Amino acid sequence: DEYHNLDSELIFECDEEHTIYSTWKKIRNKKECPICNKNKYKSQDAKIIPKTGSKRSLALDQSTRITGWSIYDDDKLIKYGTFIAVEDNEIARDCTIKQWLINMIELWKPDFVGLEGIQYQQNMGVTTFETLARLQGILMETLYELNIQFSICHTNTWRAYCKVKGRTRIDKKRSMQMLAKEWFDITVTDDEADAIGIGKYVAEVLNKNVVTYNWEI
């Protein structure tokens, strides 16, 4: 309730709402949460994690600009993030996303890829739907050419599996963010949250019977 000096014990709260008891002297130069530091899901460096005999899944949410993605080894989340295509021209963006996907396949060597299906909604214009459909076709063809097994993950299906709640699109996205917080104690964007949910469905349902690809051949 009161501040006396640098050695007074204070109560802090981090971005993940963890309570931290420390002094301003200790925390002012290194604002870190000891709970977050021990959470492997909070560490999102650029290090590529090699496969160790597990079945690896890559999941992508549907988007033409900001693509959420997640990677699971068996049923364990190991990485997540977003990729942003900045080009104004649709063909240029599609080409960028295609090249990014090829690089993700080469770097992470997944056995299976899940692409979120296109869900037509009342507030979605025909142009947006067509744009998403063209991109989905490009990604499907790319995975086919790379000989990577994949599946289209229908939005209602993966959300039902993850027990996403809500009536509106915004409510459902917020619900998925809350689930990611509950499962992994992480605060993520709605694009990342959707990719994490899709990835969970892919890893625990679709990738169970996939034959592991030998990348050394």
Side-chain angles (χ1 to χ4, degrees):
D1 295 329
E2 296 181 359
Y3 172 81
H4 296 286
N5 53 50
L6 289 175
D7 294 314
S8 300
E9 184 178 89
L10 303 174
I11 301 175
F12 302 89
E13 187 177 90
C14 77
D15 293 338
E16 299 293 350
E17 300 181 353
H18 300 138
T19 302
I20 306 161
Y21 299 90
S22 184
T23 65
W24 182 240
K25 184 177 182 179
K26 290 182 178 180
I27 208 170
R28 61 178 177 172
N29 294 323
K30 197 173 183 180
K31 300 180 180 64
E32 292 183 342
C33 169
I35 300 175
C36 287
N37 284 346
K38 294 180 180 179
N39 184 355
K40 63 181 180 180
Y41 300 112
K42 290 289 291 183
S43 176
Q44 287 296 297
D45 54 36
K47 182 179 179 181
I48 305 299
I49 302 173
K51 291 174 65 177
T52 56
S54 56
K55 289 185 178 180
R56 177 163 289 180
S57 308
L58 169 64
L60 309 180
D61 77 333
Q62 55 155 307
S63 177
T64 61
R65 289 188 181 273
I66 304 177
T67 301
W69 58 272
S70 70
I71 296 175
Y72 282 73
D73 276 354
D74 292 331
D75 58 355
K76 294 180 173 59
L77 175 68
I78 64 167
K79 201 68 107 177
Y80 61 89
T82 56
F83 175 76
I84 303 175
V86 299
E87 292 83 357
D88 291 329
N89 180 274
E90 178 189 337
I91 300 300
R93 284 199 310 274
D94 290 350
C95 184
T96 295
I97 296 171
K98 175 182 177 179
Q99 293 301 318
W100 169 76
L101 176 60
I102 293 173
N103 280 276
M104 288 291 284
I105 298 297
E106 177 63 28
L107 289 172
W108 290 97
K109 298 177 171 44
D111 302 295
F112 193 89
V113 176
L115 303 173
E116 184 180 25
I118 305 170
Q119 185 183 37
Y120 188 78
Q121 303 170 51
Q122 290 183 347
N123 59 346
M124 177 187 289
V126 175
T127 300
T128 301
F129 186 84
E130 291 177 342
T131 299
L132 290 169
R134 284 190 288 267
L135 176 60
Q136 186 175 90
I138 291 171
L139 299 183
M140 292 170 65
E141 183 179 12
T142 300
L143 293 170
Y144 179 79
E145 291 176 347
L146 294 174
N147 196 30
I148 300 295
Q149 298 183 71
F150 67 92
S151 180
I152 302 300
C153 305
H154 299 291
T155 304
N156 290 338
T157 303
W158 74 257
R159 280 178 174 168
Y161 181 80
C162 293
K163 295 181 172 57
V164 174
K165 300 178 180 178
R167 298 187 62 179
T168 67
R169 179 174 179 271
I170 294 176
D171 290 340
K172 291 174 182 176
K173 284 186 170 292
R174 178 57 182 157
S175 174
M176 188 59 238
Q177 287 177 293
M178 294 172 66
L179 286 169
K181 172 68 174 174
E182 176 185 334
W183 296 338
F184 307 111
D185 196 18
I186 51 176
T187 299
V188 294
T189 66
D190 57 0
D191 298 299
E192 291 171 325
D194 281 359
I196 288 171
I198 298 165
K200 182 178 178 66
Y201 170 70
V202 170
E204 296 180 2
V205 178
L206 300 182
N207 200 12
K208 287 295 184 181
N209 300 317
V210 172
V211 177
T212 303
Y213 185 78
N214 186 355
W215 286 88
E216 302 303 320
I217 296 177

